[in-house]
Amino acid sequence: MHPLTRPVWAGAPLVLCCLLSSFVYYESRIAILNQPPQRQMRRRRLKARRPPLDEATRQKYWFVIGKPKKKKEAKGVAFEKSYLGGLFPPVDKDMLPLYLRDTLDVPGAQVLNLNDPSGQAVARKSDLVYFWHIPKASGSTMKNILNFCFDLKRAEQVKAKPSMEMARSNILNVDTSSPEGLAFAFSHQIGNSNKVDVIVSNYFLSGSALFTDIHRGRTFTILRHPIDLALSLFHYRRVASHERSFRKDWQNLSFHDYVSSDSYMDSWMVRQLTGTMPWVRLDNSHLERAKTIMKRKLFVGIMSEMDETIRQLKAHFGWEEKTPKCSYEYLHSKAPTNKNEHPQLQGGRAGKTWNVLAAKEKWDMSLYQYALELFAKQRERYPPKLE
């Protein structure tokens, strides 16, 4: 039909489609703007406060990251990435990690694992276990118990390059203990891979970013008295040349001089839970927020009570040991994993060094005391069976 002789109504369908598209677009925009605050909050991301850094502050905390790889990261970004892990999880209306279940939540449903070594589709729990690993607090022993006693698969890079392949029995060749490894795990959707049962990380917030709405995390940790922890970590970092945190320059430094120095970084637990950098002065609001996160999201274990910790974990997560008393043997019979013998604290409890460190670690000391209270309440929730 010639354009000049085409009826007026011939272009009506096109006009109608354009009008309908415009209506749908504006209606969707109005719907988004009218969302309740709770829905909008879920789209927010946790961001650590990053104040401007002067040269003196950078020099003071240079050992957090070493020398920056990129000049663009020299002014705070690299510090934040190394200290907090570089990932930030989606959060709920209370600004808590959205995809970590509350400790009182009922576990999620089952899903089909299509990557089972048997070649068959196997039903498995949709929730994953998240172990927030506090250094020098029985973490290495706990990881072995998870692998060999409870037959749980976890991620740990054991080859030169990371990959989404099983490197050995129950070990996926992915590092979740470093910012680079966490970025790799996030980009390869480790949470949805159906290749791990447990994710282990020192970085609480960054590790929680690996979970999804399909595979949420059920979190636990094991705590150690902050002064014992600081002493053990100091002596370990002086000799552990294979670790990224190795400090050869500490070999001629006494523990007292170390904790008395301005470069001592305090309250690691509170800072990791709240996403607070080491140069930010803590106050009671940080402690209260850390307590809230611990109460809501963390099932706690205590290093000095490992038998009771394992008993509670078994009851909470429904774990069963492949071999009777397997975990007991790891705790008592076998040589401790990654143990580092070191001198006792000079002056003992309430001595000069103790008092200096207790003042600096007052926030973590308070959090540890709160964890002991939670641990006792967990025992009431999961009482020992009478034999």
Side-chain angles (χ1 to χ4, degrees):
M1 181 181 296
H2 193 277
L4 297 178
T5 61
R6 180 182 299 171
V8 174
W9 50 262
L14 178 60
V15 174
L16 183 61
C17 288
C18 293
L19 290 173
L20 182 60
S21 299
S22 299
F23 176 81
V24 171
Y25 171 79
Y26 285 110
E27 282 293 305
S28 64
R29 293 297 299 162
I30 292 172
I32 291 173
L33 292 173
N34 288 335
Q35 280 185 346
Q38 290 84 355
R39 291 290 301 277
Q40 296 177 22
M41 289 283 282
R42 291 181 181 179
R43 300 176 182 271
R44 295 174 63 183
R45 301 274 173 168
L46 287 171
K47 290 294 181 182
R49 289 177 286 177
R50 190 190 304 153
L53 299 183
D54 55 25
E55 187 61 30
T57 304
R58 287 192 213 108
Q59 291 296 325
K60 180 177 178 180
Y61 295 106
W62 71 268
F63 52 86
V64 179
I65 58 165
K67 296 180 179 180
K69 295 180 179 180
K70 298 179 181 179
K71 291 184 179 179
K72 293 182 180 179
E73 293 185 340
K75 295 184 178 180
V77 178
F79 287 94
E80 179 183 295
K81 181 177 179 182
S82 178
Y83 192 74
L84 297 177
L87 300 178
F88 298 94
V91 297
D92 62 16
K93 62 183 179 62
D94 298 320
M95 297 300 290
L96 302 180
L98 179 62
Y99 298 131
L100 294 186
R101 289 199 182 276
D102 283 10
T103 54
L104 298 179
D105 281 354
V106 177
Q110 290 189 333
V111 296
L112 286 179
N113 179 11
L114 303 179
N115 297 312
D116 191 80
S118 66
Q120 304 295 322
V122 176
R124 63 188 296 272
K125 294 180 180 179
S126 62
D127 288 344
L128 302 177
V129 176
Y130 180 27
F131 175 27
W132 179 37
H133 177 196
I134 297 174
K136 306 311 295 176
S138 292
S140 298
T141 298
M142 190 67 224
K143 287 187 284 188
N144 281 335
I145 290 175
L146 292 171
N147 278 142
F148 302 115
C149 296
F150 299 126
D151 197 27
L152 298 174
K153 297 185 286 292
R154 63 180 176 85
E156 180 180 341
Q157 186 176 336
V158 296
K159 296 184 178 180
K161 293 184 178 180
S163 66
M164 293 297 291
E165 303 297 329
M166 302 304 289
R168 58 181 187 228
S169 178
N170 283 353
I171 298 294
L172 181 69
N173 187 42
V174 175
D175 175 27
T176 52
S177 65
S178 69
E180 296 76 20
L182 285 165
F184 178 91
F186 183 81
S187 65
H188 287 76
Q189 290 285 300
I190 189 173
N192 289 337
S193 69
N194 288 325
K195 292 187 176 183
V196 293
D197 303 303
V198 183
I199 291 177
V200 183
S201 184
N202 307 121
Y203 298 101
F204 174 74
L205 293 175
S206 289
S208 65
L210 300 179
F211 299 93
T212 68
D213 57 343
I214 301 174
H215 295 283
R216 297 175 182 262
R218 300 181 67 203
T219 314
F220 80 95
T221 191
I222 300 174
L223 291 92
R224 186 177 186 178
H225 192 286
I227 292 182
D228 295 335
L229 180 63
L231 181 65
S232 177
L233 192 59
F234 169 76
H235 287 286
Y236 179 73
R237 293 182 66 183
R238 296 203 305 174
V239 299
S241 57
H242 61 286
E243 296 277 12
R244 289 181 293 111
S245 60
F246 172 60
R247 291 299 302 271
K248 185 177 180 180
D249 56 312
W250 287 2
Q251 292 177 356
N252 296 320
L253 184 69
S254 72
F255 182 64
H256 180 80
D257 290 340
Y258 163 64
V259 300
S260 301
S261 68
D262 291 337
S263 61
Y264 179 81
M265 289 189 290
D266 64 277
S267 306
W268 183 86
M269 292 191 296
V270 170
R271 294 180 184 279
Q272 286 295 318
L273 289 174
T274 60
T276 307
M277 294 300 288
W279 51 79
V280 177
R281 184 182 295 275
L282 297 179
D283 56 34
N284 197 60
S285 67
H286 295 93
L287 175 62
E288 291 305 314
R289 176 160 180 77
K291 286 182 177 181
T292 298
I293 295 171
M294 180 170 283
K295 181 180 181 180
R296 290 271 304 274
K297 300 297 183 179
L298 289 163
F299 194 86
V300 300
I302 302 298
M303 180 177 168
S304 60
E305 299 285 345
M306 281 303 293
D307 287 309
E308 175 63 12
T309 292
I310 295 296
R311 188 196 68 77
Q312 290 187 17
L313 288 172
K314 290 168 65 175
H316 182 68
F317 289 99
W319 295 335
E320 295 183 1
E321 298 187 42
K322 294 192 302 180
T323 305
K325 295 187 175 182
C326 175
S327 59
Y328 181 87
E329 291 180 0
Y330 267 99
L331 294 176
H332 301 285
S333 301
K334 297 183 179 182
T337 308
N338 205 26
K339 184 176 182 180
N340 178 48
E341 297 289 348
H342 59 78
Q344 296 298 312
L345 182 65
Q346 187 175 6
R349 192 180 186 90
K352 182 179 179 181
T353 303
W354 175 285
N355 291 333
V356 170
L357 187 53
K360 290 195 172 185
E361 291 288 359
K362 65 177 183 178
W363 303 113
D364 271 9
M365 295 273 279
S366 296
L367 186 65
Y368 180 76
Q369 292 301 317
Y370 183 68
L372 293 177
E373 296 175 14
L374 294 179
F375 188 66
K377 291 180 180 178
Q378 289 169 186
R379 182 181 174 87
E380 296 175 359
R381 180 181 175 188
Y382 300 110
K385 295 180 179 180
L386 298 177
E387 297 181 356

